[in-house]
Amino acid sequence: MSQYVVMDLEWNQTPAFHSPGLAELPFEIIEIGAVRLDEHLKIVSEFQGLIRPSVYRKMNRKITEVTHLTMEELRAKGRSFPEVMDDFFTWCGDDYMFCTWGSMDLTELQRNMVYYGMELPFPVPFLYYDLQKIYGMITGSPVMESLDKAAAEMAIAAERPFHRAADDAWYTAKVMQKMNFLSRKAYVSTDYYRLPGEDEEPFFLKFPDYEKLVSHPYAVKEDILADRELTRICCTKCHRALRKKVRWFTTNQRYYYCLAVCPEHGYVCGKIRVKKTDDGRFFAVKTTRLTDESGVELVIGKKEDQRRKRAARNRRLRMEEAKAPQKTGLRPASGSAIGRNRRRKMLEP
Ligand SMILES: [Zn+2]
């Protein structure tokens, strides 16, 4: 890829929180802004387009507060979404990689395109750079920073206002220039709007220090953990299938962890993040990475958390049972007691 298109969107949504919006289009794009950079991250061109809304006829008050965009201005200066998109893609050219601050913009862009019956010209998997994530990797920030804050931390002069698509794309490009992005060029993200089909291979991405796999959607969450192919752990260096030292467990039903060991390369940590699709199904994002003692401690700590939570729940159930003995069937879950020795044994390579 020789160029980068840093893109930012503004969108409108149903004005009141209690009135549901259109299920297939919760966010209607009202502005697109973008900055194109060459391979050396020099800004070569800017794009801005206002869109005349056709779904939500009133502005959400919060959005007007933040962007200062009004329905009158959008009606007067905006053009239809497909028209603006045609111009945008012509401006993009044909050899570029999208960059966004956060992971939402490309998903919403595709949702809007599908709503207007436009064909999606993007490859599957759709790779891009999530600059917010890369910024976090570089600065070691444990939270996803807002663009305003990142721009301030990078000492970028506030030459423009914030929260309009073209300006935010420009600030994002400035942060990209300053944060030594090229040192993390390997860390592409993949958009989750279009997932692999059930009969297709999962998306597979290899990074310098870990591997990522994105599964097809499953009807129920339990099917993910029941998929032997998906839950298998292979060493990221020699690719042999590994025996698990700590089997898959969860602390919150969203993140699952496991620990395996390669006789040659040491500990390997697996993590599955369960995500929901628009149609209420579930898919998995699995990462596998070699880890050291501190990584092992982290997984063991989570496992003990889970055990403590389970023990507390069992105690509560037993107490409830004692208080109301006529209510039977409240049996505590078993298997909660794994002693210290067992834990030590689990970890012997
Ligand atoms: Zn190995």
Side-chain angles (χ1 to χ4, degrees):
M1 296 289 162
S2 63
Q3 299 216 317
Y4 302 95
V5 169
V6 177
M7 186 197 70
D8 187 69
L9 302 171
E10 303 302 331
W11 52 67
N12 189 22
Q13 64 195 80
T14 171
F17 287 108
H18 48 83
S19 81
L22 202 62
E24 62 267 41
L25 198 78
F27 306 112
E28 180 178 21
I29 296 171
I30 50 176
E31 185 179 36
I32 176 164
V35 171
R36 206 167 66 227
L37 300 93
D38 67 13
E39 65 208 288
H40 309 295
L41 305 186
K42 194 171 158 276
I43 295 177
V44 290
S45 180
E46 291 195 41
F47 180 92
Q48 197 240 350
L50 280 181
I51 290 139
R52 193 173 55 238
S54 70
V55 178
Y56 300 115
R57 306 297 175 131
K58 272 192 184 147
M59 284 302 284
N60 178 299
R61 197 155 44 87
K62 282 242 160 64
I63 289 165
T64 295
E65 265 171 37
V66 170
T67 61
H68 305 293
L69 279 168
T70 62
M71 207 35 93
E72 291 67 41
E73 186 181 354
L74 292 173
R75 283 206 188 104
K77 297 187 196 158
R79 291 179 299 144
S80 76
F81 179 79
E83 246 179 285
V84 175
M85 288 316 296
D86 280 350
D87 278 3
F88 174 62
F89 286 123
T90 306
W91 172 86
C92 284
D94 49 23
D95 185 22
Y96 64 92
M97 185 88 157
F98 274 120
C99 307
T100 56
W101 192 262
S103 60
M104 280 181 81
D105 291 70
L106 290 174
T107 297
E108 295 313 324
L109 181 74
Q110 291 172 90
R111 215 193 297 277
N112 276 255
M113 290 175 74
V114 167
Y115 177 80
Y116 286 102
M118 297 176 74
E119 217 174 288
L120 299 179
F122 315 116
V124 182
F126 186 4
L127 303 181
Y128 69 103
Y129 286 110
D130 178 348
L131 297 177
Q132 187 184 37
K133 183 173 154 186
I134 293 178
Y135 181 80
M137 288 171 82
I138 290 174
T139 60
S141 164
V143 291
M144 289 294 194
E145 291 292 4
S146 69
L147 179 59
D148 318 32
K149 204 156 167 238
E153 280 173 3
M154 289 277 113
I156 292 158
E159 290 171 34
R160 299 188 181 192
F162 275 96
H163 307 307
R164 282 290 298 271
D167 299 322
D168 283 3
W170 182 82
Y171 277 112
T172 307
K174 286 285 178 188
V175 171
M176 186 183 183
Q177 287 175 333
K178 276 213 166 177
M179 71 176 176
N180 197 10
F181 162 79
L182 293 174
S183 72
R184 304 296 164 120
K185 218 182 143 179
Y187 292 93
V188 289
S189 289
T190 174
D191 182 78
Y192 298 140
Y193 184 74
R194 283 193 289 181
L195 294 167
E198 235 166 276
D199 49 352
E200 287 168 352
E201 288 290 311
F203 298 161
F204 178 76
L205 297 168
K206 191 161 176 61
F207 300 103
D209 51 344
Y210 69 101
E211 291 176 351
K212 185 181 208 171
L213 185 148
V214 181
S215 81
H216 63 78
Y218 294 79
V220 290
K221 215 186 282 183
E222 288 69 28
D223 289 351
I224 291 178
L225 270 293
D227 187 334
R228 298 288 286 270
E229 195 63 37
L230 182 72
T231 54
R232 202 162 54 133
I233 290 291
C234 292
C235 175
T236 55
K237 276 218 172 122
C238 64
H239 291 282
R240 74 180 94 189
L242 304 179
R243 230 166 59 106
K244 293 185 190 74
K245 287 279 170 183
V246 177
R247 281 197 269 175
W248 289 104
F249 68 94
T250 183
T251 46
N252 57 10
Q253 310 296 318
R254 278 181 64 217
Y255 294 97
Y256 293 78
Y257 301 89
C258 80
L259 205 58
V261 67
C262 170
E264 207 179 319
H265 299 108
Y267 289 113
V268 179
C269 171
K271 178 176 165 187
I272 287 178
R273 183 173 173 198
V274 175
K275 291 177 77 81
K276 243 181 151 174
T277 62
D278 282 354
D279 60 4
R281 290 184 296 164
F282 300 89
F283 66 99
V285 178
K286 180 176 87 170
T287 52
T288 311
R289 72 173 81 219
L290 282 173
T291 190
D292 54 11
E293 286 297 330
S294 66
V296 170
E297 280 300 313
L298 220 66
V299 176
I300 297 299
K302 285 183 203 299
K303 176 84 187 162
E304 295 204 324
D305 262 3
Q306 181 218 27
R307 199 148 52 227
R308 266 195 297 274
K309 272 188 198 162
R310 200 192 274 172
R313 194 188 58 206
N314 288 349
R315 263 198 309 279
R316 210 171 46 240
L317 287 177
R318 274 197 300 271
M319 276 165 67
E320 280 167 22
E321 209 169 2
K323 268 190 232 155
Q326 70 276 23
K327 262 198 215 163
T328 49
L330 283 171
R331 289 220 167 270
S334 63
S336 59
I338 302 176
R340 291 238 160 233
N341 287 338
R342 170 105 189 267
R343 179 190 156 200
R344 221 166 278 140
K345 212 170 151 205
M346 281 192 310
L347 288 173
E348 277 161 19

